[in-house]
Amino acid sequence: MPKKERGLVELYHENPERADWLVFGRKAGPDRRGFLRGAGLASMGAVLGTTIPFSANMPMGLIPAALAETVDEFTLDSKHGDMIVHNDRPVNMETPPHLLDDDITPTDVHFIRNNGTMPMPMSKAEWRLKIEGEVEEELELSYDQLMDEFETVTLQLQIECGGNGRAGFNPLPRGNPWTIGAIGCSEWTGVRLRDVLRRAGLKQSAVYTGHFSYDEHLSGDPDRQAISRGGPIDKMMDPHTLIALKMNGEDIPLAHGYPARIVAPGWAGSVSQKWLTRVLVRDREHDGPGMTGLSYRVPRYPVEAGAEVPEADMMVMGSMIVKSVITDPVGGHEVSAGRPFEVRGQAWAGDNRVAAMETSIDFGATWQPATVEAPVNRYAWQRWRANVTLPQAGYYEVWARATDDFGRSQPMVVPGWNPRGYLNNSCHRIHVVAA
Ligand SMILES: Nc1nc2c(c(=O)[nH]1)N[C@H]1C(S)=C(S)[C@@H](COP(=O)(O)O)O[C@H]1N2
Ligand SMILES: [Mo]
């Protein structure tokens, strides 16, 4: 076996104190802040090609963004060439931050998360949607019936994979190592799931949905489903939860669920079943693949990193949590010292709203308010902008922090570890060099 060199990123994961010592020559312990050996700082500067004016503020274990930003990339047809591919069987690709700059995410840069094999497309003419279970009358609807017999709505809706940010957890849970780009906010046209469920008539016993689709299990076994999730009836009756029939004004591409999918914005993307064929209304929490065990579940209480959590202590995830991304400039950008430049991005908060945005250029010692726009509609992400000035030449990081309307902010450190690595909403940061 070829011997793999241990990179700085890995060393930081394994032993942050030792990595800090090697890189910065920083003393471990409570008095470490500001104790930088000249030689360590100089060698760090040599790697980055400049000095670090706020180096005294750098938290222990922080991998400079300039070194953390290395990813393998290759391309796939019909998607933008800069998409980051984690897997091609099943297909999983995420969007790099600079491609998340649009208010409406173009189809060719929306992330893809597949659990199974993409199916051969069913034609719109043969496709049917069944509504079954705890309803007064079971329904079977064609694409045209959905379009013609129900009110169609067009909304900008964010879909974020529950595991977005997983790469930040240590130890790294199994699953795609998403960084920050398993998020998108496209324009979806469709009918409200609520209207269809009302037509069927919900029984008193209806508490949850279970979603079924025609993609294939990776094993090829036709009796197994790739994934079958659902949500509590309140969420599914929300007027923003759609049976989507179009994405950005066109037929939904195969990769995103042709011809119809659920879009349940603000919740783990897995609730938004693609290639939808059946909604089963349940009298209990749905128990399809992706609902049980550790999948899309988090511990009811904080656990130690790497802990084994008994299944009984895990609960199904609800809303995603407040988060933001810096979409411009891209990491490595060069600016003139003393001259303001714009930093901007998008922010979102699951079922909630982003109330405030701030940026920091000194590793979180101080924060400056940014502007944040109202969402176009509920569940659309929100554009934010800041004017930033770097005081002198050197290496900086711009950190961005969103706060929701309940006053909850993004943490600077990676939040609560959980067995499958969900809900990492730590601050996004980029490095900028001032000359
Ligand atoms: N049928 C089906 N629906 C699915 C999936 C899947 O594998 N099969 N993946 C889910 C997950 S985990 C996510 S995050 C979203 C991603 O939607 P996208 O690929 O359009 O971005 O689809 C969800 N719907
Ligand atoms: Mo997901």
Side-chain angles (χ1 to χ4, degrees), residues 153-348:
V153 288
T154 296
L155 295 167
Q156 293 170 31
L157 301 172
Q158 33 103 359
I159 298 180
E160 181 179 17
C161 182
N164 195 20
R166 178 178 292 126
F169 285 110
N170 179 28
L172 183 63
R174 61 176 253 209
N176 291 300
W178 305 112
T179 60
I180 197 166
I183 170 78
C185 184
S186 292
E187 185 190 83
W188 297 94
T189 300
V191 301
R192 299 182 190 97
L193 177 58
R194 176 179 81 173
D195 296 348
V196 175
L197 292 177
R198 279 190 182 153
R199 159 98 54 109
L202 289 178
K203 288 189 176 164
Q204 281 294 324
S205 50
V207 297
Y208 221 90
T209 58
H211 308 154
F212 296 80
S213 50
Y214 73 97
D215 52 339
E216 292 158 25
H217 191 268
L218 283 180
S219 65
D221 181 345
D223 296 331
R224 293 178 73 182
Q225 297 152 275
I227 190 169
S228 174
R229 300 204 65 229
I233 219 73
D234 283 356
K235 176 67 183 173
M236 305 327 285
M237 294 294 280
D238 183 288
H240 303 87
T241 298
L242 304 183
I243 299 170
L245 303 165
K246 288 187 181 298
M247 178 181 190
N248 294 329
E250 290 174 10
D251 282 350
I252 299 175
L254 184 63
H256 296 289
Y258 181 88
R261 73 176 299 173
I262 299 282
V263 176
W267 283 41
S270 50
V271 181
S272 296
Q273 192 92 15
K274 303 191 278 189
W275 307 290
L276 185 70
T277 53
R278 182 162 76 114
V279 175
L280 180 66
V281 180
R282 310 276 328 243
D283 61 1
R284 66 198 70 181
E285 194 171 88
H286 183 50
D287 53 3
M291 290 299 307
T292 56
L294 301 177
S295 301
Y296 301 103
R297 284 173 177 253
V298 289
R300 293 179 196 276
Y301 46 81
V303 301
E304 220 174 276
E308 276 198 32
V309 186
E311 265 184 48
D313 292 352
M314 301 287 288
M315 61 177 187
V316 177
M317 287 164 65
S319 171
M320 297 298 289
I321 53 182
V322 64
K323 199 157 171 175
S324 59
V325 59
I326 302 166
T327 59
D328 194 86
V330 294
H333 188 64
E334 286 182 27
V335 299
S336 305
R339 278 247 213 97
F341 63 100
E342 185 183 74
V343 177
R344 64 170 187 265
Q346 306 287 359
W348 61 97

